[in-house]
PDB file of all heavy atoms in Angstrom:
ATOM      1  N   SER A1230       0.804  -1.224   0.000  1.00 89.00           N
ATOM      2  CA  SER A1230       0.000   0.000   0.000  1.00 89.00           C
ATOM      3  C   SER A1230       0.838   1.276   0.000  1.00 89.00           C
ATOM      4  O   SER A1230       0.358   2.322  -0.431  1.00 89.00           O
ATOM      5  CB  SER A1230      -0.950   0.010   1.199  1.00 89.00           C
ATOM      6  OG  SER A1230      -0.237   0.045   2.421  1.00 89.00           O
ATOM      7  N   ARG A1231       2.085   1.223   0.458  1.00 87.00           N
ATOM      8  CA  ARG A1231       2.945   2.415   0.515  1.00 87.00           C
ATOM      9  C   ARG A1231       3.816   2.563  -0.732  1.00 87.00           C
ATOM     10  O   ARG A1231       4.531   3.537  -0.879  1.00 87.00           O
ATOM     11  CB  ARG A1231       3.872   2.330   1.731  1.00 87.00           C
ATOM     12  CG  ARG A1231       3.169   2.359   3.054  1.00 87.00           C
ATOM     13  CD  ARG A1231       4.138   1.922   4.157  1.00 87.00           C
ATOM     14  NE  ARG A1231       3.526   1.891   5.453  1.00 87.00           N
ATOM     15  CZ  ARG A1231       2.825   0.872   5.938  1.00 87.00           C
ATOM     16  NH1 ARG A1231       2.640  -0.212   5.223  1.00 87.00           N
ATOM     17  NH2 ARG A1231       2.305   0.919   7.145  1.00 87.00           N
ATOM     18  N   ASP A1232       3.779   1.584  -1.595  1.00 82.00           N
ATOM     19  CA  ASP A1232       4.718   1.523  -2.711  1.00 82.00           C
ATOM     20  C   ASP A1232       4.004   1.682  -4.048  1.00 82.00           C
ATOM     21  O   ASP A1232       2.805   1.443  -4.157  1.00 82.00           O
ATOM     22  CB  ASP A1232       5.457   0.177  -2.661  1.00 82.00           C
ATOM     23  CG  ASP A1232       6.546   0.095  -3.692  1.00 82.00           C
ATOM     24  OD1 ASP A1232       7.411   0.982  -3.711  1.00 82.00           O
ATOM     25  OD2 ASP A1232       6.530  -0.852  -4.493  1.00 82.00           O
ATOM     26  N   VAL A1233       4.747   2.024  -5.071  1.00 75.00           N
ATOM     27  CA  VAL A1233       4.213   2.167  -6.419  1.00 75.00           C
ATOM     28  C   VAL A1233       3.621   0.843  -6.908  1.00 75.00           C
ATOM     29  O   VAL A1233       2.680   0.829  -7.688  1.00 75.00           O
ATOM     30  CB  VAL A1233       5.289   2.708  -7.393  1.00 75.00           C
ATOM     31  CG1 VAL A1233       6.354   1.682  -7.674  1.00 75.00           C
ATOM     32  CG2 VAL A1233       4.648   3.188  -8.676  1.00 75.00           C
ATOM     33  N   TRP A1234       4.139  -0.286  -6.425  1.00 70.00           N
ATOM     34  CA  TRP A1234       3.582  -1.578  -6.834  1.00 70.00           C
ATOM     35  C   TRP A1234       2.110  -1.682  -6.473  1.00 70.00           C
ATOM     36  O   TRP A1234       1.338  -2.283  -7.182  1.00 70.00           O
ATOM     37  CB  TRP A1234       4.329  -2.727  -6.185  1.00 70.00           C
ATOM     38  CG  TRP A1234       5.630  -3.032  -6.834  1.00 70.00           C
ATOM     39  CD1 TRP A1234       6.094  -2.580  -8.031  1.00 70.00           C
ATOM     40  CD2 TRP A1234       6.648  -3.872  -6.322  1.00 70.00           C
ATOM     41  NE1 TRP A1234       7.336  -3.072  -8.280  1.00 70.00           N
ATOM     42  CE2 TRP A1234       7.698  -3.873  -7.253  1.00 70.00           C
ATOM     43  CE3 TRP A1234       6.773  -4.626  -5.169  1.00 70.00           C
ATOM     44  CZ2 TRP A1234       8.852  -4.603  -7.063  1.00 70.00           C
ATOM     45  CZ3 TRP A1234       7.938  -5.348  -4.987  1.00 70.00           C
ATOM     46  CH2 TRP A1234       8.959  -5.338  -5.922  1.00 70.00           C
ATOM     47  N   GLY A1235       1.735  -1.093  -5.354  1.00 68.00           N
ATOM     48  CA  GLY A1235       0.330  -1.108  -4.966  1.00 68.00           C
ATOM     49  C   GLY A1235      -0.530  -0.401  -5.991  1.00 68.00           C
ATOM     50  O   GLY A1235      -1.596  -0.881  -6.372  1.00 68.00           O
ATOM     51  N   ALA A1236      -0.060   0.740  -6.481  1.00 67.00           N
ATOM     52  CA  ALA A1236      -0.812   1.489  -7.475  1.00 67.00           C
ATOM     53  C   ALA A1236      -0.850   0.763  -8.816  1.00 67.00           C
ATOM     54  O   ALA A1236      -1.869   0.757  -9.506  1.00 67.00           O
ATOM     55  CB  ALA A1236      -0.192   2.874  -7.646  1.00 67.00           C
ATOM     56  N   ILE A1237       0.246   0.119  -9.170  1.00 66.00           N
ATOM     57  CA  ILE A1237       0.321  -0.584 -10.451  1.00 66.00           C
ATOM     58  C   ILE A1237      -0.663  -1.747 -10.500  1.00 66.00           C
ATOM     59  O   ILE A1237      -1.341  -1.969 -11.488  1.00 66.00           O
ATOM     60  CB  ILE A1237       1.758  -1.081 -10.726  1.00 66.00           C
ATOM     61  CG1 ILE A1237       2.675   0.104 -11.021  1.00 66.00           C
ATOM     62  CG2 ILE A1237       1.785  -2.087 -11.869  1.00 66.00           C
ATOM     63  CD1 ILE A1237       4.137  -0.257 -11.107  1.00 66.00           C
ATOM     64  N   VAL A1238      -0.747  -2.490  -9.415  1.00 64.00           N
ATOM     65  CA  VAL A1238      -1.553  -3.700  -9.404  1.00 64.00           C
ATOM     66  C   VAL A1238      -2.903  -3.470  -8.721  1.00 64.00           C
ATOM     67  O   VAL A1238      -3.727  -4.352  -8.640  1.00 64.00           O
ATOM     68  CB  VAL A1238      -0.771  -4.857  -8.723  1.00 64.00           C
ATOM     69  CG1 VAL A1238      -1.529  -6.145  -8.759  1.00 64.00           C
ATOM     70  CG2 VAL A1238       0.580  -5.040  -9.400  1.00 64.00           C
ATOM     71  N   GLY A1239      -3.160  -2.256  -8.262  1.00 62.00           N
ATOM     72  CA  GLY A1239      -4.407  -1.997  -7.551  1.00 62.00           C
ATOM     73  C   GLY A1239      -4.337  -2.531  -6.137  1.00 62.00           C
ATOM     74  O   GLY A1239      -5.322  -2.933  -5.544  1.00 62.00           O
ATOM     75  N   GLY A1240      -3.131  -2.520  -5.607  1.00 67.00           N
ATOM     76  CA  GLY A1240      -2.833  -3.224  -4.380  1.00 67.00           C
ATOM     77  C   GLY A1240      -3.232  -2.561  -3.097  1.00 67.00           C
ATOM     78  O   GLY A1240      -3.923  -1.562  -3.053  1.00 67.00           O
ATOM     79  N   GLY A1241      -2.740  -3.166  -2.117  1.00 82.00           N
ATOM     80  CA  GLY A1241      -2.993  -2.808  -0.741  1.00 82.00           C
ATOM     81  C   GLY A1241      -2.319  -3.851   0.111  1.00 82.00           C
ATOM     82  O   GLY A1241      -1.108  -3.986   0.078  1.00 82.00           O
ATOM     83  N   ARG A1242      -3.142  -4.629   0.792  1.00 87.00           N
ATOM     84  CA  ARG A1242      -2.605  -5.694   1.642  1.00 87.00           C
ATOM     85  C   ARG A1242      -3.139  -7.036   1.183  1.00 87.00           C
ATOM     86  O   ARG A1242      -4.331  -7.174   0.918  1.00 87.00           O
ATOM     87  CB  ARG A1242      -2.994  -5.428   3.081  1.00 87.00           C
ATOM     88  CG  ARG A1242      -2.291  -4.228   3.653  1.00 87.00           C
ATOM     89  CD  ARG A1242      -2.687  -3.990   5.113  1.00 87.00           C
ATOM     90  NE  ARG A1242      -1.970  -2.843   5.626  1.00 87.00           N
ATOM     91  CZ  ARG A1242      -2.411  -1.590   5.543  1.00 87.00           C
ATOM     92  NH1 ARG A1242      -3.565  -1.338   4.966  1.00 87.00           N
ATOM     93  NH2 ARG A1242      -1.701  -0.601   6.038  1.00 87.00           N
ATOM     94  N   TYR A1243      -2.256  -7.992   1.139  1.00 88.00           N
ATOM     95  CA  TYR A1243      -2.608  -9.350   0.732  1.00 88.00           C
ATOM     96  C   TYR A1243      -2.297 -10.279   1.891  1.00 88.00           C
ATOM     97  O   TYR A1243      -1.332 -10.067   2.622  1.00 88.00           O
ATOM     98  CB  TYR A1243      -1.796  -9.761  -0.502  1.00 88.00           C
ATOM     99  CG  TYR A1243      -2.103  -8.882  -1.692  1.00 88.00           C
ATOM    100  CD1 TYR A1243      -1.506  -7.642  -1.820  1.00 88.00           C
ATOM    101  CD2 TYR A1243      -3.008  -9.292  -2.651  1.00 88.00           C
ATOM    102  CE1 TYR A1243      -1.800  -6.812  -2.899  1.00 88.00           C
ATOM    103  CE2 TYR A1243      -3.311  -8.481  -3.732  1.00 88.00           C
ATOM    104  CZ  TYR A1243      -2.702  -7.243  -3.847  1.00 88.00           C
ATOM    105  OH  TYR A1243      -3.000  -6.437  -4.911  1.00 88.00           O
ATOM    106  N   ARG A1244      -3.098 -11.300   2.063  1.00 93.00           N
ATOM    107  CA  ARG A1244      -2.907 -12.203   3.196  1.00 93.00           C
ATOM    108  C   ARG A1244      -2.743 -13.635   2.690  1.00 93.00           C
ATOM    109  O   ARG A1244      -3.418 -14.062   1.770  1.00 93.00           O
ATOM    110  CB  ARG A1244      -4.101 -12.120   4.141  1.00 93.00           C
ATOM    111  CG  ARG A1244      -3.946 -13.072   5.270  1.00 93.00           C
ATOM    112  CD  ARG A1244      -4.247 -12.636   6.666  1.00 93.00           C
ATOM    113  NE  ARG A1244      -4.221 -11.275   7.068  1.00 93.00           N
ATOM    114  CZ  ARG A1244      -3.277 -10.749   7.845  1.00 93.00           C
ATOM    115  NH1 ARG A1244      -2.243 -11.459   8.219  1.00 93.00           N
ATOM    116  NH2 ARG A1244      -3.369  -9.505   8.237  1.00 93.00           N
ATOM    117  N   GLY A1245      -1.816 -14.325   3.336  1.00 93.00           N
ATOM    118  CA  GLY A1245      -1.602 -15.738   3.049  1.00 93.00           C
ATOM    119  C   GLY A1245      -0.715 -15.965   1.843  1.00 93.00           C
ATOM    120  O   GLY A1245      -0.474 -15.057   1.038  1.00 93.00           O
ATOM    121  N   ILE A1246      -0.243 -17.175   1.734  1.00 87.00           N
ATOM    122  CA  ILE A1246       0.649 -17.549   0.635  1.00 87.00           C
ATOM    123  C   ILE A1246      -0.055 -17.364  -0.703  1.00 87.00           C
ATOM    124  O   ILE A1246       0.533 -16.877  -1.666  1.00 87.00           O
ATOM    125  CB  ILE A1246       1.152 -18.993   0.813  1.00 87.00           C
ATOM    126  CG1 ILE A1246       2.013 -19.071   2.076  1.00 87.00           C
ATOM    127  CG2 ILE A1246       1.929 -19.461  -0.408  1.00 87.00           C
ATOM    128  CD1 ILE A1246       2.341 -20.479   2.526  1.00 87.00           C
ATOM    129  N   GLU A1247      -1.336 -17.726  -0.766  1.00 88.00           N
ATOM    130  CA  GLU A1247      -2.069 -17.549  -2.022  1.00 88.00           C
ATOM    131  C   GLU A1247      -2.259 -16.071  -2.352  1.00 88.00           C
ATOM    132  O   GLU A1247      -2.286 -15.701  -3.520  1.00 88.00           O
ATOM    133  CB  GLU A1247      -3.403 -18.292  -1.981  1.00 88.00           C
ATOM    134  CG  GLU A1247      -3.241 -19.800  -2.098  1.00 88.00           C
ATOM    135  CD  GLU A1247      -2.427 -20.230  -3.314  1.00 88.00           C
ATOM    136  OE1 GLU A1247      -2.697 -19.741  -4.438  1.00 88.00           O
ATOM    137  OE2 GLU A1247      -1.495 -21.049  -3.148  1.00 88.00           O
ATOM    138  N   GLY A1248      -2.380 -15.226  -1.344  1.00 87.00           N
ATOM    139  CA  GLY A1248      -2.463 -13.791  -1.577  1.00 87.00           C
ATOM    140  C   GLY A1248      -1.183 -13.254  -2.195  1.00 87.00           C
ATOM    141  O   GLY A1248      -1.221 -12.461  -3.142  1.00 87.00           O
ATOM    142  N   VAL A1249      -0.037 -13.684  -1.674  1.00 84.00           N
ATOM    143  CA  VAL A1249       1.263 -13.271  -2.227  1.00 84.00           C
ATOM    144  C   VAL A1249       1.385 -13.774  -3.664  1.00 84.00           C
ATOM    145  O   VAL A1249       1.784 -13.025  -4.566  1.00 84.00           O
ATOM    146  CB  VAL A1249       2.430 -13.795  -1.365  1.00 84.00           C
ATOM    147  CG1 VAL A1249       3.767 -13.510  -2.036  1.00 84.00           C
ATOM    148  CG2 VAL A1249       2.385 -13.187   0.030  1.00 84.00           C
ATOM    149  N   ARG A1250       1.017 -15.013  -3.874  1.00 82.00           N
ATOM    150  CA  ARG A1250       1.082 -15.604  -5.220  1.00 82.00           C
ATOM    151  C   ARG A1250       0.189 -14.824  -6.193  1.00 82.00           C
ATOM    152  O   ARG A1250       0.596 -14.494  -7.308  1.00 82.00           O
ATOM    153  CB  ARG A1250       0.666 -17.068  -5.165  1.00 82.00           C
ATOM    154  CG  ARG A1250       0.777 -17.781  -6.479  1.00 82.00           C
ATOM    155  CD  ARG A1250       0.397 -19.273  -6.299  1.00 82.00           C
ATOM    156  NE  ARG A1250       0.462 -19.957  -7.547  1.00 82.00           N
ATOM    157  CZ  ARG A1250      -0.527 -19.980  -8.450  1.00 82.00           C
ATOM    158  NH1 ARG A1250      -1.664 -19.357  -8.212  1.00 82.00           N
ATOM    159  NH2 ARG A1250      -0.382 -20.635  -9.583  1.00 82.00           N
ATOM    160  N   SER A1251      -1.025 -14.513  -5.772  1.00 83.00           N
ATOM    161  CA  SER A1251      -1.966 -13.772  -6.609  1.00 83.00           C
ATOM    162  C   SER A1251      -1.408 -12.397  -6.966  1.00 83.00           C
ATOM    163  O   SER A1251      -1.486 -11.962  -8.124  1.00 83.00           O
ATOM    164  CB  SER A1251      -3.293 -13.635  -5.863  1.00 83.00           C
ATOM    165  OG  SER A1251      -4.161 -12.793  -6.557  1.00 83.00           O
ATOM    166  N   TRP A1252      -0.828 -11.709  -5.973  1.00 80.00           N
ATOM    167  CA  TRP A1252      -0.242 -10.400  -6.232  1.00 80.00           C
ATOM    168  C   TRP A1252       0.884 -10.512  -7.259  1.00 80.00           C
ATOM    169  O   TRP A1252       0.972  -9.712  -8.191  1.00 80.00           O
ATOM    170  CB  TRP A1252       0.282  -9.776  -4.936  1.00 80.00           C
ATOM    171  CG  TRP A1252       0.940  -8.473  -5.192  1.00 80.00           C
ATOM    172  CD1 TRP A1252       0.337  -7.267  -5.347  1.00 80.00           C
ATOM    173  CD2 TRP A1252       2.330  -8.248  -5.393  1.00 80.00           C
ATOM    174  NE1 TRP A1252       1.276  -6.308  -5.616  1.00 80.00           N
ATOM    175  CE2 TRP A1252       2.501  -6.884  -5.654  1.00 80.00           C
ATOM    176  CE3 TRP A1252       3.459  -9.084  -5.375  1.00 80.00           C
ATOM    177  CZ2 TRP A1252       3.754  -6.336  -5.895  1.00 80.00           C
ATOM    178  CZ3 TRP A1252       4.693  -8.526  -5.613  1.00 80.00           C
ATOM    179  CH2 TRP A1252       4.824  -7.164  -5.871  1.00 80.00           C
ATOM    180  N   MET A1253       1.740 -11.515  -7.100  1.00 79.00           N
ATOM    181  CA  MET A1253       2.867 -11.675  -8.033  1.00 79.00           C
ATOM    182  C   MET A1253       2.371 -11.956  -9.449  1.00 79.00           C
ATOM    183  O   MET A1253       2.892 -11.405 -10.414  1.00 79.00           O
ATOM    184  CB  MET A1253       3.818 -12.764  -7.553  1.00 79.00           C
ATOM    185  CG  MET A1253       4.593 -12.334  -6.323  1.00 79.00           C
ATOM    186  SD  MET A1253       5.843 -13.517  -5.845  1.00 79.00           S
ATOM    187  CE  MET A1253       7.070 -13.178  -7.093  1.00 79.00           C
ATOM    188  N   LEU A1254       1.360 -12.809  -9.584  1.00 80.00           N
ATOM    189  CA  LEU A1254       0.817 -13.101 -10.913  1.00 80.00           C
ATOM    190  C   LEU A1254       0.224 -11.841 -11.538  1.00 80.00           C
ATOM    191  O   LEU A1254       0.427 -11.578 -12.726  1.00 80.00           O
ATOM    192  CB  LEU A1254      -0.234 -14.201 -10.827  1.00 80.00           C
ATOM    193  CG  LEU A1254       0.296 -15.602 -10.521  1.00 80.00           C
ATOM    194  CD1 LEU A1254      -0.866 -16.563 -10.288  1.00 80.00           C
ATOM    195  CD2 LEU A1254       1.206 -16.105 -11.632  1.00 80.00           C
ATOM    196  N   ASP A1255      -0.504 -11.061 -10.745  1.00 78.00           N
ATOM    197  CA  ASP A1255      -1.067  -9.799 -11.250  1.00 78.00           C
ATOM    198  C   ASP A1255       0.037  -8.844 -11.679  1.00 78.00           C
ATOM    199  O   ASP A1255      -0.050  -8.208 -12.727  1.00 78.00           O
ATOM    200  CB  ASP A1255      -1.934  -9.120 -10.192  1.00 78.00           C
ATOM    201  CG  ASP A1255      -3.260  -9.828  -9.975  1.00 78.00           C
ATOM    202  OD1 ASP A1255      -3.621 -10.694 -10.789  1.00 78.00           O
ATOM    203  OD2 ASP A1255      -3.918  -9.510  -8.967  1.00 78.00           O
ATOM    204  N   LEU A1256       1.082  -8.743 -10.864  1.00 75.00           N
ATOM    205  CA  LEU A1256       2.188  -7.845 -11.177  1.00 75.00           C
ATOM    206  C   LEU A1256       2.861  -8.242 -12.488  1.00 75.00           C
ATOM    207  O   LEU A1256       3.008  -7.436 -13.397  1.00 75.00           O
ATOM    208  CB  LEU A1256       3.224  -7.836 -10.055  1.00 75.00           C
ATOM    209  CG  LEU A1256       4.466  -6.994 -10.342  1.00 75.00           C
ATOM    210  CD1 LEU A1256       4.126  -5.516 -10.317  1.00 75.00           C
ATOM    211  CD2 LEU A1256       5.570  -7.305  -9.359  1.00 75.00           C
ATOM    212  N   TYR A1257       3.250  -9.501 -12.599  1.00 77.00           N
ATOM    213  CA  TYR A1257       3.990  -9.943 -13.781  1.00 77.00           C
ATOM    214  C   TYR A1257       3.127  -9.940 -15.051  1.00 77.00           C
ATOM    215  O   TYR A1257       3.645  -9.756 -16.142  1.00 77.00           O
ATOM    216  CB  TYR A1257       4.611 -11.317 -13.549  1.00 77.00           C
ATOM    217  CG  TYR A1257       5.876 -11.248 -12.724  1.00 77.00           C
ATOM    218  CD1 TYR A1257       5.866 -11.487 -11.360  1.00 77.00           C
ATOM    219  CD2 TYR A1257       7.088 -10.915 -13.324  1.00 77.00           C
ATOM    220  CE1 TYR A1257       7.031 -11.399 -10.607  1.00 77.00           C
ATOM    221  CE2 TYR A1257       8.254 -10.825 -12.582  1.00 77.00           C
ATOM    222  CZ  TYR A1257       8.213 -11.073 -11.225  1.00 77.00           C
ATOM    223  OH  TYR A1257       9.367 -10.981 -10.485  1.00 77.00           O
ATOM    224  N   SER A1258       1.823 -10.121 -14.905  1.00 80.00           N
ATOM    225  CA  SER A1258       0.963 -10.163 -16.094  1.00 80.00           C
ATOM    226  C   SER A1258       0.905  -8.812 -16.803  1.00 80.00           C
ATOM    227  O   SER A1258       0.631  -8.759 -17.995  1.00 80.00           O
ATOM    228  CB  SER A1258      -0.438 -10.639 -15.730  1.00 80.00           C
ATOM    229  OG  SER A1258      -1.122  -9.639 -15.000  1.00 80.00           O
ATOM    230  N   GLY A1259       1.158  -7.717 -16.098  1.00 78.00           N
ATOM    231  CA  GLY A1259       1.095  -6.391 -16.700  1.00 78.00           C
ATOM    232  C   GLY A1259       2.361  -5.970 -17.425  1.00 78.00           C
ATOM    233  O   GLY A1259       2.399  -4.903 -18.026  1.00 78.00           O
ATOM    234  N   TRP A1260       3.372  -6.815 -17.380  1.00 81.00           N
ATOM    235  CA  TRP A1260       4.665  -6.432 -17.941  1.00 81.00           C
ATOM    236  C   TRP A1260       5.094  -7.374 -19.044  1.00 81.00           C
ATOM    237  O   TRP A1260       5.000  -8.582 -18.906  1.00 81.00           O
ATOM    238  CB  TRP A1260       5.731  -6.419 -16.831  1.00 81.00           C
ATOM    239  CG  TRP A1260       5.378  -5.440 -15.774  1.00 81.00           C
ATOM    240  CD1 TRP A1260       4.720  -5.689 -14.613  1.00 81.00           C
ATOM    241  CD2 TRP A1260       5.615  -4.044 -15.805  1.00 81.00           C
ATOM    242  NE1 TRP A1260       4.539  -4.533 -13.915  1.00 81.00           N
ATOM    243  CE2 TRP A1260       5.087  -3.504 -14.619  1.00 81.00           C
ATOM    244  CE3 TRP A1260       6.238  -3.196 -16.712  1.00 81.00           C
ATOM    245  CZ2 TRP A1260       5.144  -2.146 -14.322  1.00 81.00           C
ATOM    246  CZ3 TRP A1260       6.305  -1.848 -16.416  1.00 81.00           C
ATOM    247  CH2 TRP A1260       5.764  -1.337 -15.242  1.00 81.00           C
ATOM    248  N   GLU A1261       5.586  -6.774 -20.116  1.00 87.00           N
ATOM    249  CA  GLU A1261       6.167  -7.558 -21.198  1.00 87.00           C
ATOM    250  C   GLU A1261       7.469  -8.203 -20.721  1.00 87.00           C
ATOM    251  O   GLU A1261       7.788  -9.332 -21.053  1.00 87.00           O
ATOM    252  CB  GLU A1261       6.439  -6.628 -22.379  1.00 87.00           C
ATOM    253  CG  GLU A1261       7.077  -7.282 -23.573  1.00 87.00           C
ATOM    254  CD  GLU A1261       7.333  -6.261 -24.670  1.00 87.00           C
ATOM    255  OE1 GLU A1261       6.495  -5.357 -24.877  1.00 87.00           O
ATOM    256  OE2 GLU A1261       8.389  -6.370 -25.309  1.00 87.00           O
ATOM    257  N   LYS A1262       8.187  -7.424 -19.929  1.00 84.00           N
ATOM    258  CA  LYS A1262       9.468  -7.892 -19.406  1.00 84.00           C
ATOM    259  C   LYS A1262       9.672  -7.270 -18.035  1.00 84.00           C
ATOM    260  O   LYS A1262       9.427  -6.085 -17.851  1.00 84.00           O
ATOM    261  CB  LYS A1262      10.593  -7.460 -20.342  1.00 84.00           C
ATOM    262  CG  LYS A1262      11.957  -7.870 -19.907  1.00 84.00           C
ATOM    263  CD  LYS A1262      13.019  -7.357 -20.862  1.00 84.00           C
ATOM    264  CE  LYS A1262      14.375  -7.768 -20.340  1.00 84.00           C
ATOM    265  NZ  LYS A1262      15.447  -7.268 -21.141  1.00 84.00           N
ATOM    266  N   VAL A1263      10.102  -8.079 -17.074  1.00 83.00           N
ATOM    267  CA  VAL A1263      10.431  -7.584 -15.743  1.00 83.00           C
ATOM    268  C   VAL A1263      11.737  -8.235 -15.302  1.00 83.00           C
ATOM    269  O   VAL A1263      11.867  -9.456 -15.336  1.00 83.00           O
ATOM    270  CB  VAL A1263       9.337  -7.911 -14.700  1.00 83.00           C
ATOM    271  CG1 VAL A1263       9.792  -7.486 -13.313  1.00 83.00           C
ATOM    272  CG2 VAL A1263       8.030  -7.259 -15.037  1.00 83.00           C
ATOM    273  N   ASP A1264      12.698  -7.408 -14.930  1.00 87.00           N
ATOM    274  CA  ASP A1264      13.934  -7.896 -14.336  1.00 87.00           C
ATOM    275  C   ASP A1264      13.963  -7.388 -12.910  1.00 87.00           C
ATOM    276  O   ASP A1264      13.992  -6.172 -12.683  1.00 87.00           O
ATOM    277  CB  ASP A1264      15.163  -7.382 -15.100  1.00 87.00           C
ATOM    278  CG  ASP A1264      15.246  -7.938 -16.500  1.00 87.00           C
ATOM    279  OD1 ASP A1264      14.967  -9.138 -16.669  1.00 87.00           O
ATOM    280  OD2 ASP A1264      15.569  -7.171 -17.425  1.00 87.00           O
ATOM    281  N   LEU A1265      13.938  -8.305 -11.974  1.00 86.00           N
ATOM    282  CA  LEU A1265      13.921  -7.954 -10.570  1.00 86.00           C
ATOM    283  C   LEU A1265      15.093  -8.653  -9.905  1.00 86.00           C
ATOM    284  O   LEU A1265      15.264  -9.860 -10.064  1.00 86.00           O
ATOM    285  CB  LEU A1265      12.606  -8.427  -9.959  1.00 86.00           C
ATOM    286  CG  LEU A1265      12.357  -8.168  -8.497  1.00 86.00           C
ATOM    287  CD1 LEU A1265      10.865  -7.992  -8.276  1.00 86.00           C
ATOM    288  CD2 LEU A1265      12.875  -9.284  -7.634  1.00 86.00           C
ATOM    289  N   SER A1266      15.910  -7.879  -9.205  1.00 91.00           N
ATOM    290  CA  SER A1266      17.014  -8.507  -8.484  1.00 91.00           C
ATOM    291  C   SER A1266      17.169  -7.847  -7.115  1.00 91.00           C
ATOM    292  O   SER A1266      16.905  -6.662  -6.952  1.00 91.00           O
ATOM    293  CB  SER A1266      18.318  -8.420  -9.274  1.00 91.00           C
ATOM    294  OG  SER A1266      18.695  -7.078  -9.448  1.00 91.00           O
ATOM    295  N   CYS A1267      17.585  -8.656  -6.171  1.00 94.00           N
ATOM    296  CA  CYS A1267      17.827  -8.163  -4.821  1.00 94.00           C
ATOM    297  C   CYS A1267      19.261  -7.652  -4.774  1.00 94.00           C
ATOM    298  O   CYS A1267      20.203  -8.426  -4.927  1.00 94.00           O
ATOM    299  CB  CYS A1267      17.592  -9.278  -3.811  1.00 94.00           C
ATOM    300  SG  CYS A1267      17.784  -8.727  -2.111  1.00 94.00           S
ATOM    301  N   GLU A1268      19.421  -6.345  -4.597  1.00 95.00           N
ATOM    302  CA  GLU A1268      20.747  -5.735  -4.584  1.00 95.00           C
ATOM    303  C   GLU A1268      21.403  -5.737  -3.217  1.00 95.00           C
ATOM    304  O   GLU A1268      22.624  -5.742  -3.108  1.00 95.00           O
ATOM    305  CB  GLU A1268      20.663  -4.292  -5.074  1.00 95.00           C
ATOM    306  CG  GLU A1268      20.374  -4.166  -6.539  1.00 95.00           C
ATOM    307  CD  GLU A1268      20.546  -2.738  -7.026  1.00 95.00           C
ATOM    308  OE1 GLU A1268      20.548  -1.800  -6.212  1.00 95.00           O
ATOM    309  OE2 GLU A1268      20.675  -2.574  -8.248  1.00 95.00           O
ATOM    310  N   GLU A1269      20.590  -5.695  -2.169  1.00 96.00           N
ATOM    311  CA  GLU A1269      21.155  -5.550  -0.826  1.00 96.00           C
ATOM    312  C   GLU A1269      20.190  -6.127   0.200  1.00 96.00           C
ATOM    313  O   GLU A1269      18.978  -5.930   0.106  1.00 96.00           O
ATOM    314  CB  GLU A1269      21.387  -4.063  -0.550  1.00 96.00           C
ATOM    315  CG  GLU A1269      21.972  -3.736   0.786  1.00 96.00           C
ATOM    316  CD  GLU A1269      22.154  -2.231   0.992  1.00 96.00           C
ATOM    317  OE1 GLU A1269      21.533  -1.417   0.277  1.00 96.00           O
ATOM    318  OE2 GLU A1269      22.920  -1.886   1.909  1.00 96.00           O
ATOM    319  N   LEU A1270      20.739  -6.831   1.185  1.00 97.00           N
ATOM    320  CA  LEU A1270      19.972  -7.290   2.335  1.00 97.00           C
ATOM    321  C   LEU A1270      20.610  -6.689   3.576  1.00 97.00           C
ATOM    322  O   LEU A1270      21.818  -6.813   3.774  1.00 97.00           O
ATOM    323  CB  LEU A1270      19.963  -8.814   2.424  1.00 97.00           C
ATOM    324  CG  LEU A1270      19.216  -9.534   1.301  1.00 97.00           C
ATOM    325  CD1 LEU A1270      19.406 -11.041   1.403  1.00 97.00           C
ATOM    326  CD2 LEU A1270      17.741  -9.176   1.313  1.00 97.00           C
ATOM    327  N   ILE A1271      19.797  -6.031   4.381  1.00 96.00           N
ATOM    328  CA  ILE A1271      20.292  -5.356   5.576  1.00 96.00           C
ATOM    329  C   ILE A1271      19.715  -6.045   6.800  1.00 96.00           C
ATOM    330  O   ILE A1271      18.494  -6.134   6.956  1.00 96.00           O
ATOM    331  CB  ILE A1271      19.888  -3.869   5.567  1.00 96.00           C
ATOM    332  CG1 ILE A1271      20.423  -3.180   4.309  1.00 96.00           C
ATOM    333  CG2 ILE A1271      20.364  -3.171   6.838  1.00 96.00           C
ATOM    334  CD1 ILE A1271      19.803  -1.816   4.038  1.00 96.00           C
TER     335      ILE A1271
END
């Protein structure tokens, strides 16, 4: 809800493993190409 991803996917809060999965499918379906990498873990 605080991030641009929420606006892109119509997001907010998702609950449960299936909620996370659903959000990811919605996110990736809107993109022809997505490169996502974790640059840093703190």
Side-chain angles (χ1 to χ4, degrees):
S1230 64
R1231 295 166 182 84
D1232 186 55
V1233 71
W1234 282 347
I1237 290 172
V1238 183
R1242 291 181 179 89
Y1243 297 81
R1244 178 135 337 252
I1246 295 168
E1247 287 307 312
V1249 173
R1250 183 177 178 276
S1251 173
W1252 177 82
M1253 289 186 75
L1254 289 173
D1255 287 347
L1256 176 71
Y1257 281 97
S1258 71
W1260 299 95
E1261 178 181 322
K1262 179 182 178 183
V1263 175
D1264 294 319
L1265 180 149
S1266 63
C1267 183
E1268 290 190 342
E1269 180 181 18
L1270 293 174
I1271 302 166

